[in-house]
Amino acid sequence: AQKITQTQPGMFVQEKEAVTLDCTYDTSDQSYGLFWYKQPSSGEMIFLIYQGSYDEQNATEGRYSLNFQKARKSANLVISASQLGDSAMYFCAMREASKPTNFGNEKLTFGTGTRLTIIP
Amino acid sequence: KAGVTQTPRYLIKTRGQQVTLSCSPISGHRSVSWYQQTPGQGLQFLFEYFSETQRNKGNFPGRFSGRQFSNSRSEMNVSTLELGDSALYLCASTQRVGGTGEQYFGPGTRLTVT
């Protein structure tokens, strides 16, 4: 069974500083996908970044990067130059295959989330 | 390209009633998954549909059901509502085969059962 662990329930970070949100995962599969989502108080889950288990390069999307350490089973999200609008819940999630197929593998297993607060 | 849409956004129902929630995926996305989010249990997978067929199901009672139409739109139904069904219900769509793997969520339907 897959499991995602986010050990930081809450974090406070000064505006413009970089922040790292921790995520470790447990799976016996060789093929899997890792996601990070942002959930503001409005409730919508906003896709941030994706990393497939076979991707050799760490994923980057603008100010977001994913520090993927496969041997340690960690997939930390790094936000550079934090902004007030970054204040939200952040969820790490795993899918059981690195790429979608026709075999019913879109189920995401989520961590408990980290509430990030950016201080002006 | 329009995002995932969910209707209604808010719903108040009474115990014992039933409810139907709707989700329209991103154009071209053929897979739709549903999740329940509560403060106590977090985000839990309900089910996944692709090509009008349920491909995967989470650990929820039979009161929770769903379907997908030929245009990929999906509905989920909860019968005999209980107070514990109060939650944010989220649906997500993905492109499936040929896509790069991202799953995109809708804004959710917030269901309150009184």
Side-chain angles (χ1 to χ4, degrees):
Chain A
Q2 299 183 328
K3 185 176 179 182
I4 296 283
T5 302
Q6 294 181 256
T7 57
Q8 305 153 311
M11 287 187 71
F12 291 85
V13 173
Q14 205 73 39
E15 190 181 6
K16 298 181 185 175
E17 288 186 351
V19 56
T20 298
L21 304 181
D22 295 340
C23 172
T24 58
Y25 59 91
D26 188 21
T27 182
S28 56
D29 298 327
Q30 295 300 310
S31 175
Y32 50 88
L34 295 158
F35 299 77
W36 276 94
Y37 289 91
K38 171 184 177 181
Q39 188 177 42
S41 55
S42 61
E44 183 169 1
M45 296 285 280
I46 301 168
F47 168 76
L48 295 178
I49 199 165
Y50 167 79
Q51 178 93 37
S53 59
Y54 294 122
D55 296 338
E56 294 186 353
Q57 303 272 359
N58 283 346
T60 59
E61 291 284 353
R63 294 187 300 113
Y64 304 107
S65 61
L66 198 152
N67 185 1
F68 182 45
Q69 297 187 43
K70 196 169 181 177
R72 298 180 59 186
K73 293 190 175 179
S74 78
N76 297 340
L77 176 71
V78 179
I79 307 174
S80 63
S82 57
Q83 302 171 355
L84 295 178
D86 293 334
S87 293
M89 281 291 288
Y90 287 80
F91 290 94
C92 180
M94 171 188 283
R95 181 181 61 203
E96 67 183 26
S98 64
K99 297 291 184 187
T101 69
N102 287 332
F103 305 117
N105 67 328
E106 295 306 313
K107 171 186 174 181
L108 292 178
T109 300
F110 284 87
T112 51
T114 296
R115 183 171 296 282
L116 176 64
T117 303
I118 306 299
I119 305 165
Chain B
K1 196 187 261 192
V4 179
T5 57
Q6 290 187 246
T7 55
R9 293 292 310 278
Y10 302 91
L11 208 48
I12 300 175
K13 290 286 188 179
T14 304
R15 256 186 317 177
Q17 288 186 315
Q18 75 165 17
V19 66
T20 299
L21 312 181
S22 179
C23 171
S24 293
I26 291 171
S27 177
H29 286 197
R30 296 172 60 196
S31 172
V32 174
S33 300
W34 288 89
Y35 294 83
Q36 181 196 65
Q37 185 177 25
T38 59
Q41 299 298 318
L43 281 148
Q44 294 185 285
F45 172 78
L46 279 157
F47 25 64
E48 173 200 352
Y49 286 88
F50 176 67
S51 291
E52 303 176 61
T53 302
Q54 188 180 89
R55 302 288 177 158
N56 204 349
K57 190 176 190 304
N59 189 24
F60 278 82
R63 300 184 297 107
F64 291 81
S65 63
R67 59 178 175 168
Q68 186 180 35
F69 302 94
S70 58
N71 61 357
S72 296
R73 189 177 70 86
S74 177
E75 289 181 347
M76 68 163 281
N77 183 78
V78 188
S79 62
T80 320
L81 284 166
E82 300 177 359
L83 294 178
D85 297 332
S86 294
L88 180 66
Y89 290 88
L90 295 158
C91 82
S93 78
T94 188
Q95 193 172 343
R96 273 286 185 162
V97 178
T100 51
E102 295 92 347
Q103 289 197 20
Y104 295 92
F105 281 78
T109 294
R110 193 168 293 280
L111 171 66
T112 302
V113 182
T114 61

